[in-house]
Amino acid sequence: MTIDPRIVSPLLVWYRRYGRPLPWREEATPYHVWISEIMLQQTRIEAALPYYRRFLDAFPTVRALAEAEEGHLLKLWEGLGYYSRARNLKRAAETVMRDHGGELPRSVEALRRLPGIGDYTAGAIASIAYGLPAPAVDGNVLRVLSRLTADERDVLREGVKREAAAALQEIYPTAPEDAAAMTEALMELGEVVCIPNGTPQCAACPLRELCEGHRRGVAALLPTRVKKTARVTEERTVLLLFYGDKVALSRRPEEGLLAGMWEFPSRTGRLTEEALRATLSEEALIPEAIAVGPRGKHVFSHREWQLSTYLVTLAAPPEGYVMVGGEELSRDYALPSAFRIPLEAVRERLGFL
Ligand code: SF4
């Protein structure tokens, strides 16, 4: 891939004129850039904004994050998903406190060694916060570059992203404020003009005179993505076990999907009422009443859960579970969004907001 160096100037002019004033841009400290980039990895800007503000209120510095209590951290992350990102933030903050005197390191290589920081985030922090000529190529920027160069190779293929970053490196401006603006400008262009899932807004694009995809009329067909992994669908039955005004929670295993998160107990498969009774009896749980709850689905990146729910009123408190009341549940426990539908049923039953 070769990128025309003439894109730099119009791109920077456009960004300085039209770039949106986002909070992490207004005060682009290394810490702010880092937190925002991690949050934005799987989340739209509008959705991330309130999380970003709450997060910085709670943990305004690297030190505060390093000393964060995990439950509090995960609670603030609740709804963003991919909780390993939050855990890695804390681990990286601990490393920064221990090995870098509380300041994020100034080189891509050193940033790259911190937990949860890959090439993209390292490039973003190095360029935006430290003004280094370090490209940051994520799916968004890769889409822009594929269209700009009319590169039809599969962007999911090993090495394509690395090659795009190397090509971009060749033309990166070296003045610190330009390097920072270049990274922001490419991201911004991909988010508001050269948009995904639809026709790029070429008429509003500062690069249209230099864009090969636009010239050849293939921009909307790019980037090419060849999906390899099909999503696995799994039926699960969620057991909402009530005793008095409390509901049972358990903890997921430390490895695998949603590792270590709190959950409502669930079983693989869609249990009939008979199978449910057998399961309860295996655990010596005596139901006083059983009601069928809501059904729904939750889609992870490579997996889909088809959920069904039972609301079970128990005659005695169950062993091996943590029993929590409504208020406590909403205040102290971060439940993965996969349990959103069962949580609604619990809310209705226990009457909390
Ligand atoms: S001209 Fe169109 S396809 Fe090319 S970079 Fe701009 S918006 Fe994307």
Side-chain angles (χ1 to χ4, degrees):
M1 181 184 282
T2 309
I3 302 170
D4 190 332
R6 289 176 300 166
I7 68 164
V8 175
S9 171
L11 192 55
L12 296 185
V13 169
W14 171 82
Y15 174 69
R16 287 183 170 129
R17 184 150 179 211
Y18 297 110
R20 291 165 296 174
L22 299 168
W24 45 86
R25 285 181 178 162
E26 282 167 2
E27 214 194 326
T29 66
Y31 182 59
H32 291 171
V33 174
W34 174 38
I35 302 300
S36 65
E37 287 303 335
I38 299 293
M39 278 190 180
L40 292 172
Q41 275 169 17
Q42 317 282 347
T43 311
R44 286 176 307 106
I45 288 179
E46 300 70 37
L49 277 170
Y51 283 94
Y52 176 79
R53 294 201 178 98
R54 280 198 296 268
F55 195 94
L56 284 192
D57 282 347
F59 312 119
T61 58
V62 177
R63 177 185 293 279
L65 177 56
E67 291 170 357
E69 197 265 312
E70 186 175 286
H72 185 198
L73 175 68
L74 295 181
K75 187 72 196 157
L76 282 172
W77 204 264
E78 191 177 22
L80 283 172
Y82 299 91
Y83 288 84
S84 56
R85 290 185 293 164
R87 291 199 176 102
N88 279 335
L89 278 175
K90 178 171 158 61
R91 283 175 52 217
E94 289 164 358
T95 309
V96 170
M97 290 309 297
R98 193 183 58 234
D99 299 345
H100 302 281
E103 251 194 54
L104 280 151
R106 281 178 174 267
S107 77
V108 170
E109 296 68 34
L111 286 164
R112 187 73 190 72
R113 283 197 289 275
L114 295 171
I117 296 193
D119 292 334
Y120 167 77
T121 310
I125 298 170
S127 57
I128 299 172
Y130 289 131
L132 298 170
V137 180
D138 64 350
N140 189 37
V141 171
L142 197 51
R143 174 179 64 259
V144 176
L145 298 179
S146 309
R147 289 173 175 171
L148 200 57
T149 58
D151 191 321
E152 294 181 15
R153 284 174 307 164
D154 175 12
V155 288
L156 299 178
R157 233 183 55 202
E158 182 70 27
V160 172
K161 197 188 267 185
R162 213 172 325 126
E163 203 192 301
L168 201 51
Q169 179 81 71
E170 295 288 314
I171 64 150
Y172 238 65
T174 47
E177 64 277 18
D178 288 350
M182 181 77 181
T183 301
E184 293 278 25
L186 281 166
M187 292 176 185
E188 185 81 351
L189 193 77
E191 275 153 17
V192 300
V193 178
C194 198
I195 49 175
N197 309 323
T199 317
Q201 313 287 304
C202 303
C205 181
L207 306 182
R208 71 183 172 282
E209 304 295 328
L210 302 166
C211 180
E212 199 52 24
H214 175 58
R215 192 183 69 76
R216 293 191 208 166
V218 296
L221 303 174
L222 295 170
T224 308
R225 271 199 197 88
V226 184
K227 280 238 182 315
K228 276 182 237 95
T229 45
R231 195 173 277 147
V232 181
T233 302
E234 192 182 316
E235 298 242 36
R236 287 202 82 76
T237 304
V238 178
L239 313 183
L240 301 175
L241 305 173
F242 295 97
Y243 178 70
D245 55 2
K246 296 191 167 174
V247 67
L249 291 181
S250 53
R251 215 159 187 167
R252 293 187 62 81
E254 285 304 326
E255 298 283 322
L257 188 71
L258 305 175
M261 302 295 302
W262 288 102
E263 66 171 356
F264 297 119
S266 64
R267 302 287 179 270
T268 307
R270 192 165 153 209
L271 301 189
T272 59
E273 192 168 326
E274 200 184 349
L276 168 69
R277 284 183 185 279
T279 303
L280 294 173
S281 130
E282 272 167 27
E283 291 193 36
L285 300 173
I286 304 158
E288 254 177 7
I290 292 178
V292 175
R295 297 185 56 194
K297 70 171 179 182
H298 182 79
V299 180
F300 300 92
S301 47
H302 299 302
R303 191 181 295 260
E304 178 177 317
W305 276 0
Q306 304 262 359
L307 295 171
S308 43
T309 333
Y310 283 106
L311 286 77
V312 181
T313 309
L314 295 171
E319 285 199 9
Y321 295 99
V322 173
M323 297 302 290
V324 295
E327 230 175 77
E328 212 184 339
L329 177 58
S330 68
R331 191 188 56 225
D332 300 336
Y333 290 85
L335 282 190
S337 45
F339 291 93
R340 187 179 49 81
I341 291 167
L343 181 62
E344 282 305 312
V346 173
R347 265 200 188 111
E348 227 166 82
R349 166 87 170 242
L350 298 183
F352 63 97
L353 292 175

